[in-house]
Amino acid sequence: ASRRLLAWCVHAYTALGLIAAAGMAVLIVHGGPSAFRGVFLLTQAIGKASMIPRQYGRIVNVASIAGLLGNPPELMHTIAYNTSKGALVNFTRALACEWGRYNITVNALAPGFFPSKMTKGVLAQFGAEALAQFAPLKRIGDDEDLKGAALLFASEAGRHITGQVLAVDGGVCFAEKVIAGQVALLGHAPIDKLLQRGRILRIELARFHNEVG
């Protein structure tokens, strides 16, 4: 069944790629905790069937900021998810090096917290305003926030960009690094005091609840 699905995807992608204006060949791939093998095989198949023969392609993987960071066990145990997204991040970098000679760029988006079907319950419980406080920009992502980055990677505007992983998270990655530095400086200070009465702890739990699955 998986081989039939793969064959159908290759056929559909190739057909669309031939019809698209200016010979555009863009593949946007998303994979969850257990789907990295599928991302690998689909990218390999479409690359060999369409992009490499045409000497052109744009691959945009959808990773996560969970693939860029670990998180303390006091927050949540998400090692499987972080590991799978970390694999996708380095897959992006490695494939960019290998397929650059075919004029194929490979980049990844690493979203932070966005409203979705999965996060509906979290938003209802904590509220968007509370979740936004964890980001330096003081907002969570919306429907428009991934479009520009995806368009950059998929278009001629990004023809000299490859192997890059762009966090689209309102600055959350940077904020977490600052917090990690504070933890290191203060030793084993209770995390609830360090993070202002546990507020950021709750936000972090909510955000990773979004990432799991």
Side-chain angles (χ1 to χ4, degrees):
S2 59
R3 290 183 178 180
R4 289 197 299 271
L5 177 60
L6 182 62
W8 181 88
C9 289
V10 171
H11 172 75
Y13 171 84
T14 304
L16 289 172
L18 291 173
I19 294 171
M24 286 293 289
V26 178
L27 174 63
I28 298 180
V29 189
H30 169 71
S34 61
F36 176 71
R37 183 171 182 270
V39 171
F40 181 96
L41 292 175
L42 181 61
T43 304
Q44 180 186 59
I46 291 178
K48 289 183 176 180
S50 179
M51 291 183 172
I52 292 175
R54 296 168 66 185
Q55 295 288 292
Y56 183 86
R58 299 284 185 264
I59 297 173
V60 184
N61 292 317
V62 182
S64 165
I65 59 172
L68 306 175
L69 304 164
N71 54 288
E74 294 89 350
L75 299 179
M76 184 172 280
H77 298 278
T78 56
I79 189 168
Y81 188 83
N82 290 59
T83 299
S84 68
K85 290 302 186 181
L88 186 56
V89 164
N90 215 42
F91 172 71
T92 297
R93 294 167 177 159
L95 191 62
C97 292
E98 292 199 12
W99 283 7
R101 56 183 169 165
Y102 304 121
N103 194 31
I104 297 171
T105 64
V106 189
N107 296 288
L109 301 175
F113 190 92
F114 278 73
S116 68
K117 186 177 181 180
M118 289 189 299
T119 63
K120 184 178 179 180
V122 176
L123 285 168
Q125 182 177 357
F126 295 98
E129 184 178 351
L131 294 169
Q133 296 309 304
F134 196 56
L137 290 181
K138 304 303 178 187
R139 61 187 296 274
I140 62 174
D142 63 28
D143 292 342
E144 299 297 318
D145 290 329
L146 290 174
K147 294 179 181 179
L151 182 61
L152 171 64
F153 286 154
S155 69
E156 282 300 291
R159 66 180 182 177
H160 203 56
I161 303 172
T162 195
Q164 300 302 307
V165 180
L166 178 61
V168 186
D169 64 354
V172 169
C173 280
F174 173 73
E176 288 180 345
K177 291 175 183 177
V178 171
I179 292 168
Q182 291 175 335
V183 172
L185 289 173
L186 297 176
H188 294 86
I191 196 166
D192 59 334
K193 293 182 180 179
L194 177 65
L195 303 184
Q196 300 179 350
R197 304 186 305 277
R199 188 178 187 185
I200 294 180
L201 169 62
R202 294 194 299 273
I203 294 172
E204 184 74 354
L205 285 169
R207 186 171 59 78
F208 275 104
H209 175 79
N210 165 45
E211 300 288 1
V212 174

